[in-house]
């Protein structure tokens, strides 16, 4: 039970709004000490895992391109594109992006879009422009919704692809119990939830459009 | 063979460029932060586990010193040039490169095809941007650094959380959680077991920020012994729907920093939890759907 002290540190740290990086390091130390590990061993394990997961941080290499394009006026151009498409609402735009993201992820193409590559330079400004035209005055929420749509599309699309990490993990764990399953059978069971995710989030987006239309009328 | 090493070289070069420009601009803390990141990308495999641990502590100390400055807003020019097409170069290169590189497994590591394609797409897009937009030589790094400073210390949070997960695994946190979950189920209740399994996946994912850490634990504690062995559930939906219940938890937690906290910083939201707030109304009904689906499949 004592090893759960790290979990308590995390909960408390976030609640009291300490700097999250500090909270994480303290939680790791507390957990390691509670489990009777040598502090140096905890540091080594932490450092090893940090080095192994550098690929997560590598995505920032796209920032120079995004920065240059923004300096050149990309966001204004994305807005102008939306202005030219009369029937485009924020709900329809994001629902279309959701569908694109889910299908791309289901084909294994998870890294072609994301908050740095597509949401900040393109999707968020387009959504903001569409929402503005519909009379909405909360650009922060529209941007947050654009990021949320990207996440939901990714999460509930990728498990349909048979060679994605989570499918391989499930197969590995089940193999450990002597249960042998083809990845295909696991990916098939991701389809109902993918459809439900599209319907639920799509309904919210449709609802948002309706609210904006009413507010403008 | 071209693999992660190439990707790390490209990313490391960007961080190193940021560090040099930071020194030029006398943004010392930011420069140190970026220099440490560059060191990690260039030499991470050579400095040993303890060395990497010390590097992480130095990063955290720099980030929490309160001396890092935010990026200053840059005025955008009037739009000129084929900006939208240039913006699609990276996604298109990632897509095309992934499909192409899978066909040449001897030249390019097939497991890292997308990341390699992404890195090449970045170099191609950067060259095109400089040429087409006639940007001065260091403008790309400078503009990229402004965005990186906007993200600030949140940039390394996903990597730190993954490392915390490794320490949790070493300390056996999962076994304790799995045991607790197993003990919380009323005997013989299929619905009770489904609820504890799916909610346990979501809650443990909220704590760990990652459904991958929760799955082996909940499968061992509830999924395999109860849902599959005792109640005769089909292991495929038990595993797949359980994982997706965990993904619902990922949408709800600041611990999933690269999906929830970094985008909030990247989109310059005042509310650090704005993305999570926008996701909750989709995540909760979807979690309910997963619970009902799993219950219907096993019952």
């Amino acid at each position: 039970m004592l090893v759960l002290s790290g979990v308590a540190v995390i909960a408390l740290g976030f609640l009291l709004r300490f700097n999250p990086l500090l909270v994480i390091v303290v939680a790791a130390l507390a957990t390691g000490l509670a489990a009777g590990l040598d502090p140096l061993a905890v540091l080594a394990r932490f450092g090893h895992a940090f080095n192994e997961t550098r690929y997560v941080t590598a995505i920032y290499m796209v920032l120079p391109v995004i920065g240059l394009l923004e300096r050149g006026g990309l966001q204004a151009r994305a807005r102008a594109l939306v202005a030219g498409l009369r029937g485009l609402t924020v709900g329809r735009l994001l629902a279309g992006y959701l569908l694109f993201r889910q299908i791309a992820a289901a084909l294994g193409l998870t890294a072609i879009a994301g908050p740095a590559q597509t949401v900040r330079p393109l999707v968020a400004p387009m959504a903001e422009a569409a929402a503005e035209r519909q009379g909405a005055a909360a650009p922060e929420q529209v941007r947050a919704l654009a990021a949320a749509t990207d996440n939901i599309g990714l999460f509930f699309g990728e498990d349909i692809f048979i060679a994605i990490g989570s499918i391989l993990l499930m197969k590995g764990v089940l193999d450990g119990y002597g249960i042998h399953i083809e990845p295909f059978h696991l990916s098939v069971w991701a389809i109902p939830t993918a459809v439900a995710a599209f319907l639920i989030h799509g309904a919210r987006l449709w609802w948002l459009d309706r609210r904006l239309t009413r507010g403008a009328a | 063979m071209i693999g992660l090493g190439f990707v790390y070289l490209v990313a490391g070069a960007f961080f190193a460029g940021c560090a040099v420009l930071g020194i030029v601009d006398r943004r010392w803390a930011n420069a140190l932060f970026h220099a440490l990141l560059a060191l990690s990308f260039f030499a991470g495999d050579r400095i040993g586990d303890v060395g990497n641990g010390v590097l992480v502590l130095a990063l955290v100390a720099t980030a929490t010193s309160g001396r890092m400055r935010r990026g200053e807003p840059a005025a955008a020019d009037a739009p000129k040039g084929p900006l939208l097409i240039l913006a699609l170069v990276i996604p298109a290169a990632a897509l095309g490169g992934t499909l192409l590189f899978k066909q040449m497994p001897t030249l390019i590591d097939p497991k890292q095809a997308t990341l390699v394609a992404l890195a090449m797409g970045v170099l191609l897009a950067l060259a095109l941007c400089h040429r087409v937009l006639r940007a001065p030589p260091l403008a790309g790094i400078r503009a990229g650094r402004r965005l990186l400073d906007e993200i600030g210390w949140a940039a390394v949070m996903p990597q730190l959380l993954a490392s915390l997960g490794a320490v949790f695994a070493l300390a056996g946190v999962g076994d304790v959680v799995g045991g607790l979950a197993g003990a919380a189920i009323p005997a013989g209740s299929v619905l009770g077991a489904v609820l504890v399994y799916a909610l346990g996946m979501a809650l443990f994912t909220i704590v760990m920020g990652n459904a991958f850490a929760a799955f082996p634990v909940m499968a061992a504690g509830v999924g395999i012994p109860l849902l599959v062995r005792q109640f005769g559930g089909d292991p495929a939906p038990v595993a797949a729907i359980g994982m997706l219940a965990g993904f619902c938890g990922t949408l709800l937690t600041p611990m999933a920093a690269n999906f929830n906290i970094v985008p909030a910083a990247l989109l310059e939201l005042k509310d650090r939890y704005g993305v999570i707030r926008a996701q909750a109304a989709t995540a909760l009904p979807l979690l309910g759907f997963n619970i009902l689906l799993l219950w219907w499949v096993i019952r």
Side-chain angles (χ1 to χ4, degrees):
Chain A
M1 286 299 284
L2 214 55
V3 294
L4 292 185
S5 55
V7 177
V9 168
I10 294 246
L12 210 65
F14 272 104
L15 221 60
L16 297 177
R17 292 191 162 235
F18 281 114
N19 183 302
L21 300 190
L22 206 60
V23 174
I24 295 166
V25 172
V26 173
L29 192 68
T31 304
L33 293 182
L37 299 168
D38 175 32
L40 204 62
V42 177
L43 186 70
R45 188 75 194 89
F46 204 81
H48 179 80
F50 185 82
N51 193 48
E52 292 291 298
T53 50
R54 277 175 295 171
Y55 61 88
V56 180
T57 307
I59 188 65
Y60 298 122
M61 66 192 169
V62 306
L63 291 182
V65 176
I66 305 300
L68 270 187
L69 290 172
E70 285 191 0
R71 223 190 56 150
L74 175 65
Q75 297 201 349
R77 184 61 62 80
R79 287 162 171 277
L81 182 73
V82 170
L85 299 169
R86 293 227 143 260
L88 197 67
T89 61
V90 61
R92 284 181 199 161
L93 171 77
L94 290 181
Y97 184 68
L98 177 66
L99 190 64
F100 156 76
R101 192 76 161 113
Q102 278 194 304
I103 290 173
L107 297 173
L109 305 165
T110 52
I112 64 164
Q117 304 100 300
T118 49
V119 177
R120 167 156 177 142
L122 291 172
V123 181
M126 287 167 86
E128 255 184 84
E132 256 168 43
R133 195 168 52 188
Q134 289 164 267
E140 289 244 339
Q141 279 169 23
V142 173
R143 290 208 295 271
L145 195 59
T149 303
D150 185 79
N151 281 338
I152 291 161
L154 171 68
F155 290 6
F156 301 102
E158 65 171 9
D159 260 25
I160 298 174
F161 184 61
I162 54 171
I164 206 80
S166 56
I167 296 277
L168 300 178
L169 172 72
M170 285 189 262
K171 179 165 167 46
V173 169
L174 292 175
D175 277 339
Y177 290 96
I179 301 169
H180 304 292
I181 290 182
E182 286 298 312
F184 175 73
H185 292 302
L186 292 167
S187 63
V188 163
W189 278 104
I191 295 174
T193 305
V195 173
F198 185 79
L199 292 178
I200 292 170
H201 198 64
R204 283 184 62 207
L205 293 170
W206 178 78
W207 195 250
L208 173 71
D209 271 349
R210 252 181 66 126
R211 230 175 43 219
L212 292 181
T213 316
R214 276 211 194 132
Chain B
M1 191 158 71
I2 302 176
L4 271 182
F6 168 71
V7 177
Y8 290 166
L9 214 60
V10 175
F14 169 53
F15 294 131
C18 290
V20 171
L21 286 180
I23 292 169
V24 171
D25 293 348
R26 308 169 76 82
R27 299 165 74 97
W28 305 116
N30 299 59
L32 179 61
F33 188 76
H34 297 147
L36 287 166
L37 273 179
L39 180 69
S40 161
F41 273 82
F42 286 143
D45 292 329
R46 267 167 258 154
I47 56 178
D49 290 347
V50 175
N52 275 301
V54 172
L55 188 136
V56 175
L57 291 184
L59 266 176
V60 172
T62 312
T64 53
S65 68
R67 288 174 183 278
M68 276 174 68
R69 286 193 265 159
R70 296 195 64 180
E72 55 277 281
D77 301 344
K80 60 169 194 298
L83 294 165
L84 290 169
I85 292 170
L86 286 172
L88 292 174
V89 167
I90 294 180
L95 171 60
T98 306
L99 301 176
L100 181 69
F101 294 163
K102 295 258 190 213
Q103 310 300 318
M104 24 211 293
T106 47
L107 185 65
I108 291 174
D109 184 356
K111 280 202 206 108
Q112 310 298 348
T114 303
L115 271 177
V116 172
L118 193 70
M120 289 184 178
V122 166
L123 295 179
L124 176 69
L126 195 59
L128 282 174
C129 280
H130 273 285
R131 202 180 156 79
V132 176
L133 301 178
R134 297 211 185 84
L138 285 177
I141 306 283
R142 197 168 279 284
R145 189 196 55 164
R146 193 186 78 70
L147 294 179
L148 191 60
D149 280 346
E150 198 68 57
I151 302 169
W153 50 257
V156 292
M157 197 169 150
Q159 236 184 305
L160 280 192
L161 284 164
S163 314
L164 175 66
V167 173
F168 275 4
L170 190 68
V173 172
D175 304 334
V176 177
V177 172
L180 285 177
I185 299 168
S189 164
V190 178
L191 185 62
V194 167
L195 274 173
V196 170
Y197 175 67
L199 292 177
M201 273 300 298
L203 281 175
F204 196 48
T205 302
I206 286 173
V207 171
M208 300 293 291
N210 189 340
F212 286 24
F215 180 73
V217 172
M218 295 311 296
V222 183
I224 305 290
L226 288 178
L227 295 179
V228 174
R229 298 245 160 93
Q230 192 178 334
F231 299 127
D234 179 352
V238 167
I241 300 170
M243 183 66 93
L244 293 163
F247 284 5
C248 293
T250 316
L251 294 172
L252 295 170
T253 175
M255 301 292 281
N258 44 341
F259 299 113
N260 296 336
I261 301 299
V262 170
L266 204 53
L267 294 171
E268 295 168 46
L269 304 186
K270 286 188 201 80
D271 179 4
R272 196 196 284 170
Y273 304 130
V275 178
I276 296 174
R277 277 184 231 286
Q279 282 164 175
T282 299
L284 292 174
L286 197 55
L287 181 59
F289 172 84
N290 280 318
I291 291 171
L292 286 177
L293 178 65
L294 189 57
W295 178 67
W296 179 76
V297 168
I298 295 177
R299 145 196 85 86

